[in-house]
Amino acid sequence: METLFQQATLTADASLSREQLIDLLENKHPATFRFLEKTSATIKLTGNHEFNSTSLLDAIDSSDDNNITWADFHAFLQRTAQAYQAKGGDKRRDGSPQVRYIVQQCLSETTRKWKEVLTTKFGQSTVNGLASGVPYRFRVIALNRNNLESAPSASCVVTTMLETPPPPSIDDRRGDPVSAREIKFAWDKTAVFASGLNQREQRKHAIDNILSEWTDAGPDDEGAVSVKKTFRRQTTFRKTDNDMEIISSSDMANILRDLGVPDTREKVQETFLALKAEEERLVDEATARGRTMGRTNVSEYISLDLMKRWWNSDNITYEIFRSEGTQVEWKPHGKVAVSASKISPSVCKIPCYKGSKPYGTVRGLAPNTLYYFTLRLSTSRAQSCSSKVIEITTAPDTPEQPVLISSDARELTLKWYPGKNGAHKYLLEGKLHEALDAHTTASVAQAAKKEKERGWVTYFEGHENTAKVVKLLANSAYYFRVSCLNTKGVAGMPSKMVICRTEPRRQSLQPKNADEFFTIECTGDVVVGDTILFTERLYIGRDGKLLTSSNPLAFTRSLGADGSRGESRLGRYVGERTIAASVLKDIYRSPRHTLEVGVAKPISRRMLRLEVIWSTVSTEEACDHVLRKDAIIQMDEEQIFEFETFRVPVSPCCARRLPSC
């Protein structure tokens, strides 16, 4: 108002006539005119008498003075405000809020058309019923208790998110989908929300794309967010000699921000790449149609036509995110920890795939590791939330080549070690290579023919890394390989094949020929696969139960020099037991193997699991304690070597690996 008085033609006393003031307000300042017309006044403008008016404009028009100075008008406004406060005008008697807010949605930035979507007394609110993946423009207008509107706020542009897609699935169409270090995914482009839009929005976008192709141009009215208007508002906007509208590439972040797109460094770089790809596509199409189209230097300037094509594109980019990965915990007897029933998508923070095809391969994973994956969609304008989590365990790594640790006429014992991060189970397969007696014995030749027709045969499936293969042909060569399985039953790549030979038929191990077989004295170098012979002393405890010298918690050794008399504080000596057994398992793990595989720390005490071949006792009183053939026992290595221990020499083709190597 002060500016209005200054710009108007004033009289000699710096005043303005009432008629001139009202004409200026109505013609040149309509917003101020409406404000004065709707604002109530209950005091006089000038003079000494009181005046009750319905508006400030009436107070001015009904004034007794012909001319009004700025000082008089300013004093009048101050008295009006003071009178309003004196009468308690800060609150309405009906308790309604002093200020309300009207949220308006832009229908067309070109025609400046807006519509009211909600009214609220709070400083925040939620607008519902919007379409997914669509940019919107909103502004707010304040409304006082007299229903007087403020000037509209600056508008803001926001794009709704795309619909959340379904999670990715394993792609069984492209060979082995899950391997030790990569997983092949696929997703259905026709599934519900696979494009981030519902069916109605998909139909609308399809129709818009068809019309754009027919007219070779976008719509004249771009709706709430006009790329053309936003483009022309940039500080570097200019027209070239051939009327091409361009801006500098340095304005990329600014125009993205004005369009309601995050102006991060990654998004800016991604937009540059998309513009280059779109330009290459247009050049190829023009060339195919026999037309010539020049290329622009996107790194220096951006054209309006290229920007509009990128903005209106519905091309979808698929992104897969994964978790850090959790190695499956090793448990006895193959037990594993059960994962949580519900996993939040927030655990998947590592981007591992990005592309436009409905399938992809995630690489760089660790073997035998549990991962969580989610899928996210993005377009030039918006992106979706992450999908639900899919849980996948990679296949185990390729195990080491199995080694032969003992052989017999009809059976072989093999051992192997898993690859990095171990395995849940093992699968030992074998097939006959050649029966060496087939050329001389007809029955062997017939049996070998049937054996070869079987091909690869599964001889063992379990959690141990040692297996005894039985019911083989004597004096025959077999191929063997090992595969590792994870907790979901997914197998990794099989190991290298090893060829092993069974022994010709020979005399079996018996107590009467022990001196012929057990010829090597052991000095603590027993390994899995060895056949050993050792002796232990037996005692009967006070409760009548058997105690042995291999139980260090129940037995205290106090033998004489000649060993003829044994005393025990807890039991009575009843004799000795001699055992011939095969070493099945060694629970000790070397530091080197612990470091490579990544399992628990090695146990200080070494325990051996044995399979009994035969056993004898020295007295009749101990006959009840003879161990049956094929019985499984577990003993401390120190107790096995308490007395002299012998082993059978291994075949030259068998491998012996000490636990400390």
Side-chain angles (χ1 to χ4, degrees):
M1 292 298 295
E2 184 178 8
T3 304
L4 177 66
F5 273 87
Q6 292 175 355
Q7 295 177 350
T9 303
L10 304 179
T11 60
D13 58 351
S15 63
L16 191 65
S17 66
R18 291 183 295 103
E19 292 79 5
Q20 186 180 5
L21 175 60
I22 292 175
D23 290 341
L24 287 174
L25 289 173
E26 187 174 7
N27 297 326
K28 295 187 177 181
H29 300 276
T32 306
F33 181 84
R34 290 195 298 272
F35 170 76
L36 295 175
E37 188 178 29
K38 294 181 179 180
T39 304
S40 62
T42 57
I43 62 172
K44 60 188 177 182
L45 174 62
T46 58
N48 297 322
H49 66 277
E50 289 288 337
F51 177 80
N52 293 326
S53 173
T54 58
S55 69
L56 287 172
L57 191 64
D58 290 340
I60 297 172
D61 193 26
S62 305
S63 174
D64 295 336
D65 297 334
N66 291 327
N67 295 334
I68 305 171
T69 64
W70 165 244
D72 293 337
F73 190 81
H74 185 257
F76 165 69
L77 292 177
Q78 288 182 333
R79 292 197 307 273
T80 301
Q82 292 171 0
Y84 176 77
Q85 294 177 358
K87 292 186 177 183
D90 56 330
K91 292 184 179 179
R92 297 187 62 173
R93 294 181 180 179
D94 58 1
S96 61
Q98 183 178 0
V99 179
R100 289 172 294 158
Y101 303 98
I102 300 176
V103 179
Q104 293 183 334
Q105 174 187 332
C106 182
L107 299 179
S108 172
E109 188 179 12
T110 304
T111 60
R112 299 179 182 179
K113 187 176 181 181
W114 297 77
K115 74 171 183 178
E116 180 180 330
V117 291
L118 62 89
T119 302
T120 179
K121 64 179 180 179
F122 303 104
Q124 61 182 14
S125 187
T126 302
V127 180
N128 299 313
L130 304 179
S132 58
V134 176
Y136 291 90
R137 186 184 297 274
F138 297 96
R139 70 182 183 184
V140 179
I141 296 176
L143 197 68
N144 69 4
R145 67 169 192 165
N146 294 321
N147 292 328
L148 295 179
E149 298 179 353
S150 69
S153 68
S155 64
C156 70
V157 178
V158 61
T159 303
T160 54
M161 300 191 72
L162 299 173
E163 297 283 358
T164 303
S169 59
I170 297 176
D171 189 2
D172 297 321
R173 301 168 299 177
R174 296 188 292 151
D176 295 334
V178 179
S179 62
R181 288 176 170 80
E182 67 179 35
I183 299 176
K184 298 175 182 177
F185 287 101
W187 41 92
D188 187 4
K189 294 182 66 174
T190 62
V192 179
F193 301 142
S195 62
L197 305 173
N198 58 37
Q199 293 182 353
R200 179 177 59 82
E201 293 161 0
Q202 291 182 43
R203 288 195 298 268
K204 181 179 181 300
H205 281 237
I207 294 173
D208 290 344
N209 291 337
I210 293 174
L211 294 176
S212 297
E213 291 180 359
W214 285 351
T215 60
D216 200 24
D220 295 332
D221 190 347
E222 298 177 285
V225 180
S226 172
V227 179
K228 181 185 294 185
K229 283 185 169 295
T230 306
F231 197 87
R232 291 175 176 175
R233 283 197 297 265
Q234 304 306 311
T235 56
T236 60
F237 170 78
R238 63 185 178 89
K239 283 188 177 182
T240 61
D241 296 337
N242 56 353
D243 288 336
M244 178 186 292
E245 300 182 35
I246 62 173
I247 61 172
S248 173
S249 298
S250 60
D251 260 342
M252 175 63 79
N254 297 330
I255 192 171
L256 289 180
R257 184 171 56 253
D258 294 344
L259 290 173
V261 179
D263 57 338
T264 61
R265 181 180 300 178
E266 293 78 9
K267 186 63 179 179
V268 170
Q269 186 64 27
E270 178 185 331
T271 305
F272 275 123
L273 295 177
L275 292 176
K276 291 180 180 179
E278 180 66 18
E279 186 178 47
E280 291 295 330
R281 187 187 67 83
L282 293 175
V283 171
D284 293 340
E285 287 184 358
T287 304
R289 296 177 182 177
R291 295 185 299 179
T292 302
M293 177 179 175
R295 288 182 172 86
T296 60
N297 190 355
V298 178
S299 59
E300 293 184 3
Y301 62 89
I302 306 166
S303 67
L304 173 60
D305 179 65
L306 198 60
M307 195 71 187
K308 288 176 65 176
R309 288 181 179 275
W310 168 79
W311 177 254
N312 295 318
S313 172
D314 282 332
N315 294 333
I316 301 175
T317 300
Y318 303 95
E319 296 177 273
I320 296 179
F321 295 84
R322 67 170 175 87
S323 62
E324 291 283 352
T326 305
Q327 293 184 12
V328 179
E329 184 179 0
W330 285 47
K331 297 271 187 180
H333 311 297
K335 296 180 180 178
V336 294
V338 180
S339 60
S341 57
K342 186 176 182 181
I343 304 297
S344 172
S346 60
V347 302
C348 304
K349 300 179 180 178
I350 303 176
C352 52
Y353 171 81
K354 189 174 186 179
S356 57
K357 296 181 179 179
Y359 57 86
T361 302
V362 175
R363 297 182 173 87
L365 306 177
N368 198 35
T369 303
L370 174 64
Y371 289 96
Y372 300 104
F373 297 91
T374 59
L375 177 66
R376 191 177 73 183
L377 309 180
S378 63
T379 62
S380 58
R381 301 179 299 273
Q383 68 180 25
S384 70
C385 292
S386 297
S387 68
K388 292 182 179 180
V389 170
I390 180 174
E391 173 185 315
I392 300 178
T393 302
T394 54
D397 204 0
T398 304
E400 296 181 11
Q401 185 182 31
V403 294
L404 178 66
I405 55 178
S406 69
S407 63
D408 207 338
R410 298 293 304 275
E411 62 185 37
L412 298 171
T413 302
L414 296 98
K415 186 173 183 178
W416 57 88
Y417 288 94
K420 184 177 177 61
N421 295 340
H424 176 62
K425 291 175 65 177
Y426 304 100
L427 192 69
L428 176 64
E429 299 174 297
K431 69 176 181 178
L432 177 65
H433 171 59
E434 182 181 5
L436 302 180
D437 295 336
H439 303 289
T440 58
T441 307
S443 60
V444 175
Q446 186 177 3
K449 181 180 179 181
K450 293 181 179 179
E451 191 76 11
K452 286 186 176 181
E453 290 176 352
R454 297 172 63 190
W456 286 102
V457 179
T458 300
Y459 287 105
F460 171 80
E461 181 176 353
H463 306 291
E464 305 292 344
N465 64 335
T466 304
K468 178 182 287 188
V469 183
V470 298
K471 297 181 181 181
L472 302 177
L473 298 178
N475 197 26
S476 301
Y478 285 83
Y479 286 116
F480 291 96
R481 66 186 183 188
V482 176
S483 300
C484 295
L485 282 70
N486 63 15
T487 56
K488 304 299 183 181
V490 178
M493 293 295 294
S495 67
K496 294 181 180 179
M497 292 188 300
V498 61
I499 186 168
C500 304
R501 175 187 170 185
T502 55
E503 299 292 337
R505 296 185 181 276
R506 65 180 182 180
Q507 189 179 9
S508 61
L509 287 175
Q510 296 178 5
K512 63 182 180 181
N513 59 18
D515 57 337
E516 299 178 12
F517 286 91
F518 297 96
T519 58
I520 299 178
E521 185 174 0
C522 297
T523 57
D525 59 343
V526 172
V527 299
V528 174
D530 283 347
T531 303
I532 61 174
L533 181 70
F534 64 95
T535 301
E536 62 178 351
R537 283 188 168 88
L538 305 178
Y539 296 84
I540 299 298
R542 297 174 182 177
D543 56 356
K545 294 183 179 180
L546 177 66
L547 301 175
T548 68
S549 57
S550 61
N551 188 346
L553 300 178
F555 174 73
T556 302
R557 184 174 57 184
S558 57
L559 298 177
D562 57 356
S564 60
R565 184 177 62 87
E567 296 179 357
S568 174
R569 293 179 298 172
L570 301 178
R572 176 175 56 87
Y573 174 75
V574 295
E576 295 180 350
R577 180 166 62 186
T578 301
I579 302 174
S582 298
V583 181
L584 296 181
K585 186 177 181 181
D586 180 357
I587 67 171
Y588 173 86
R589 290 188 181 275
S590 66
R592 179 188 67 82
H593 190 257
T594 298
L595 182 63
E596 290 180 355
V597 178
V599 297
K601 294 182 179 179
I603 302 172
S604 58
R605 291 180 56 193
R606 187 183 183 199
M607 303 293 292
L608 298 178
R609 186 175 300 174
L610 310 174
E611 182 181 8
V612 176
I613 299 175
W614 53 260
S615 70
T616 60
V617 292
S618 60
T619 64
E620 292 184 2
E621 191 176 2
C623 287
D624 293 338
H625 307 296
V626 175
L627 298 175
R628 62 176 175 81
K629 188 179 186 302
D630 297 332
I632 305 297
I633 60 175
Q634 184 164 297
M635 300 185 66
D636 192 322
E637 182 189 39
E638 294 181 0
Q639 302 304 324
I640 293 177
F641 291 108
E642 183 178 5
F643 307 105
E644 288 183 329
T645 304
F646 299 87
R647 66 175 175 86
V648 177
V650 298
S651 173
C653 62
C654 298
R656 297 184 75 251
R657 179 181 294 185
L658 298 178
S660 59
C661 66

